Amino acid sequence: MTLTSLQKEFLLHFGEMGSRWGINRTVGQIYALLFLSEAPLNAETITEALGISRSNTSMGLKELQSWNLVLLRHQQGDRRDYFTTPDDLWEIVRTLVAERRKREIDPTLTKLRELEMMGKTGDPYAEARIAELREMIEMMTQFHDEMNRLETERLVQLMTMGRTLGGLLDKAPRLNPFRKAK
């Protein structure tokens, strides 16, 4: 498989960004390659295209599968596994958000609730900050749940209306309970 200069640049960037997103460079590049590929790819093709070891490819694909970011496909008459990404970009984003929530937000929320259940500890400031953080995270996760229930078309409409809604809140401060008085 020969990569175009555009593909190479995209793969390099995704690899660099991988570490910032909590995945290693190779996993990011594998995902980028699958994302840009019109047809599903098998592990041998991925290994060859990226110039990485077969074991790196295998481990990277397993990690991407654990994140539900790649789809397994089979081809008639071929025993090898082929991998691809969903065609729907919104499905990819929803999966990423759900997985990040499951791995990062939910455990934090659980810990905050456990800390609050300890009762009075003699540190009212820390207790208040923990309660405030828990409330904010719960609000964000409830918002996520509501947005996740929307059909993609409705979600896109809502997102494009965001600037208008923000302007409306600026003009009507009484509607925004979180706005601080100047």
Side-chain angles (χ1 to χ4, degrees):
M1 171 178 205
T2 304
L3 299 175
T4 67
S5 59
L6 178 64
Q7 290 172 324
K8 288 177 185 176
E9 282 294 316
F10 187 79
L11 268 63
L12 284 173
H13 177 72
F14 247 69
E16 291 168 11
M17 292 305 296
S19 62
R20 296 181 186 155
W21 295 330
I23 58 173
N24 73 39
R25 180 174 53 88
T26 303
V27 174
Q29 289 178 337
I30 291 170
Y31 189 79
L33 180 65
L34 292 171
F35 180 82
L36 293 180
S37 178
E38 282 188 65
L41 302 176
N42 61 45
E44 291 80 23
T45 304
I46 295 167
T47 298
E48 177 188 307
L50 296 178
I52 58 177
S53 71
R54 180 66 166 88
S55 62
N56 259 356
T57 301
S58 180
M59 289 186 319
L61 288 169
K62 281 185 172 80
E63 184 169 345
L64 290 168
Q65 285 176 303
S66 77
W67 279 81
N68 297 311
L69 289 172
V70 295
L71 306 170
L72 182 61
R73 298 282 186 247
H74 293 99
Q75 294 187 1
Q76 187 72 26
D78 193 337
R79 293 178 35 192
R80 295 176 293 184
D81 291 335
Y82 285 78
F83 301 89
T84 189
T85 62
D87 291 329
D88 182 356
L89 292 177
W90 286 97
E91 181 183 342
I92 295 169
V93 169
R94 287 176 193 253
T95 300
L96 276 170
V97 170
E99 289 296 321
R100 296 301 292 239
R101 177 179 172 178
K102 180 172 69 177
R103 296 164 189 255
E104 298 166 24
I105 303 298
D106 291 347
T108 300
L109 197 49
T110 299
K111 186 56 161 179
L112 293 171
R113 288 174 179 148
E114 288 173 3
L115 292 171
E116 282 187 297
M117 289 175 61
M118 291 173 61
K120 302 287 182 198
T121 63
D123 190 348
Y125 182 79
E127 292 167 10
R129 295 293 285 175
I130 287 170
E132 183 180 17
L133 181 58
R134 180 200 40 80
E135 289 170 6
M136 184 198 67
I137 292 174
E138 284 177 343
M139 185 184 308
M140 288 173 31
T141 58
Q142 289 167 359
F143 179 76
H144 168 260
D145 291 343
E146 292 299 319
M147 294 302 104
N148 207 35
R149 285 185 190 96
L150 292 177
E151 294 176 14
T152 298
E153 183 178 311
R154 301 283 293 175
L155 181 59
V156 171
Q157 288 173 337
L158 183 61
M159 290 180 73
T160 56
M161 290 173 40
R163 187 178 350 208
T164 304
L165 293 172
L168 177 62
L169 289 175
D170 288 340
K171 292 176 184 169
R174 69 183 181 283
L175 297 176
N176 185 354
F178 300 104
R179 183 182 171 111
K180 293 186 179 183
K182 292 182 182 179

